[in-house]
Amino acid sequence: MEQEKTAVKKRLTLFVGLTFVITWIIFLLIPLRGLTYGKGATIIILAAAMFVPTLSNILTRLITKEGFGNTYLHPHFKGHMKDYLLVYFGPTALVFLSAAVYFLTFPGSFDLQLTGLKGAAASTRGLSAYNLLLISILQIIIIGPIINIIPTLGEEIGWRGYLLPKLRMLLTDRAALVITGIIWGMWHIPVIVMGHNYGTDYMGYPWLGILGMIVFCVVLGVIEGYISIKLESVIPAAMIHSVVNAGVGLPILLAKGGYNPILGPAITGLIGGLPFIVLAVVLLIKAGHKFSYIKTVAAASGTVGTDYLVKALDENDLCGQYRNRSPYQPNDYIGWITRGKREETRMKRLIQN
């Protein structure tokens, strides 16, 4: 067991190291080339950086000879269509609710004249600022979960498809979710310093921006990670991430100038993102503190539908004994039980162990 834990720790260290080093080198191309953040070539640079977590996932598997047993790319639609409907429309509703909470908290910040949209509307043919707002809202609702899904998968295959499952083999779900979010937030440090999400003109720059981004990534990471664990797939996480990227700027277009970006109006702010924070706390509580090693090993070996195994071990306080088995035994144990064709057979095998 200790040998297996050591291997997991080495893979985690290599993955995180590769992800940070490669990405930060890419990020640093922006100041080194004298580019203005958020404009021109920097958009391409940032888009390229989003694929580094996936690249690091692949490189880590190759370097450590881990193989590609489960990349968490199977969506598992069957039996989970209600979950996917919630994933498709729920985050969008949360984005709109977040904007409402911020402007109800700071009503003087709402720009009834839609000044931020008038410039964009002027470049269109006959569209008013209000029509442009309506189109933007409809786009987020209809295609928000898929419009950015390719680049968001570039991140999620690394964060929720590799980092989170590996941490779950060492920690409780609750701890794994939080630590994944912290690492994800710290990954953004160079671009936060350059002005990503918060700009550079705020009190406490750049430290409050860095802290704010880490908090936001923990919050969003808990939400994405929770559904990824439930559906054993990174696809729902990428969909949620896509919605967030599509809708994060909408409240800013509705706000007057002079706001504090650490508070909002974007969902990356503490007030602007309050509904996300509340949901993350609820899910974190639901995630619990129990060790989910058995389910993680089952997923890694391509075995799904192991909830009854986890429940049985938890209820009988056998998780500790399971974890202490020799490295080769967990997969054999799970496979032997789940290969039973009838539920009656599977339960009989479970009781025997």
Side-chain angles (χ1 to χ4, degrees):
M1 188 66 193
E2 287 304 318
Q3 183 180 357
E4 186 175 358
K5 284 185 179 180
T6 300
V8 171
K9 290 176 182 178
K10 286 181 178 178
R11 287 167 180 151
L12 276 171
T13 302
L14 180 59
F15 169 78
V16 173
L18 286 171
T19 305
F20 273 64
V21 170
I22 297 173
T23 309
W24 284 19
I25 289 173
I26 294 174
F27 284 157
L28 289 174
L29 290 175
I30 296 174
L32 290 176
R33 293 177 61 87
L35 301 173
T36 301
Y37 182 83
K39 297 181 180 179
T42 64
I43 305 300
I44 298 174
I45 292 173
L46 293 174
M50 292 183 72
F51 291 92
V52 173
T54 291
L55 175 63
S56 299
N57 180 341
I58 295 170
L59 289 175
T60 300
R61 290 175 182 271
L62 291 174
I63 293 170
T64 63
K65 300 180 180 179
E66 178 183 354
F68 294 84
N70 191 336
T71 55
Y72 292 85
L73 284 172
H74 193 294
H76 298 130
F77 288 132
K78 187 177 180 180
H80 296 291
M81 292 312 298
K82 289 184 179 179
D83 293 313
Y84 272 98
L85 283 173
L86 183 60
V87 167
Y88 202 96
F89 295 108
T92 301
L94 213 56
V95 167
F96 295 153
L97 177 61
S98 297
V101 168
Y102 179 82
F103 289 118
L104 286 172
T105 306
F106 302 102
S109 295
F110 188 71
D111 183 8
L112 290 171
Q113 303 303 316
L114 300 182
T115 307
L117 283 168
K118 283 183 177 178
S123 63
T124 64
R125 296 181 179 181
L127 280 179
S128 68
Y130 289 96
N131 287 335
L132 190 58
L133 173 62
L134 179 59
I135 291 172
S136 299
I137 291 173
L138 289 175
Q139 284 180 335
I140 296 171
I141 294 173
I142 298 170
I143 61 174
I146 58 175
I147 192 171
N148 300 303
I149 200 164
I150 299 301
T152 57
L153 268 174
E155 284 197 45
E156 296 306 331
I157 290 172
W159 302 130
R160 256 56 66 177
Y162 195 82
L163 178 63
L164 179 59
K166 287 291 182 288
L167 286 173
R168 291 180 71 211
M169 296 180 77
L170 302 173
L171 306 166
T172 64
D173 279 356
R174 186 178 292 169
L177 287 167
V178 171
I179 292 174
T180 299
I182 291 173
I183 293 172
W184 187 26
M186 292 177 67
W187 179 72
H188 290 87
I189 287 177
V191 288
I192 297 300
V193 174
M194 296 178 209
H196 183 66
N197 283 341
Y198 304 100
T200 57
D201 186 21
Y202 57 88
M203 184 180 297
Y205 165 83
W207 305 111
L208 285 182
I210 292 171
L211 179 60
M213 190 62 186
I214 291 173
V215 170
F216 175 70
C217 285
V218 169
V219 167
L220 187 59
V222 167
I223 296 170
E224 292 183 4
Y226 185 90
I227 192 65
S228 290
I229 291 171
K230 181 177 180 180
L231 300 184
E232 297 177 6
S233 173
V234 300
I235 302 300
M239 292 170 65
I240 295 171
H241 196 160
S242 178
V243 170
V244 167
N245 284 7
V248 67
L250 182 64
I252 296 174
L253 295 174
L254 304 177
K256 296 177 181 178
Y259 56 81
N260 183 342
I262 304 300
L263 298 179
I267 57 176
T268 49
L270 297 176
I271 304 300
L274 195 57
F276 281 86
I277 294 172
V278 172
L279 176 59
V281 170
V282 171
L283 294 181
L284 202 58
I285 292 171
K286 287 186 67 176
H289 62 276
K290 291 185 178 180
F291 196 89
S292 57
Y293 179 76
I294 179 173
K295 193 163 186 177
T296 308
V297 171
S301 63
T303 305
V304 295
T306 56
D307 286 345
Y308 67 96
L309 277 173
V310 180
K311 183 178 179 182
L313 290 176
D314 280 343
E315 287 179 348
N316 293 282
D317 294 321
L318 294 174
C319 280
Q321 293 182 34
Y322 176 82
R323 290 172 58 189
N324 290 327
R325 288 176 174 240
S326 301
Y328 67 88
Q329 287 183 313
N331 285 345
D332 291 344
Y333 174 72
I334 296 169
W336 180 66
I337 294 175
T338 56
R339 279 193 297 271
K341 293 184 179 180
R342 295 186 303 168
E343 182 179 357
E344 175 184 336
T345 303
R346 292 193 297 271
M347 294 308 296
K348 183 179 180 181
R349 292 179 178 179
L350 175 61
I351 293 170
Q352 288 177 5
N353 280 268

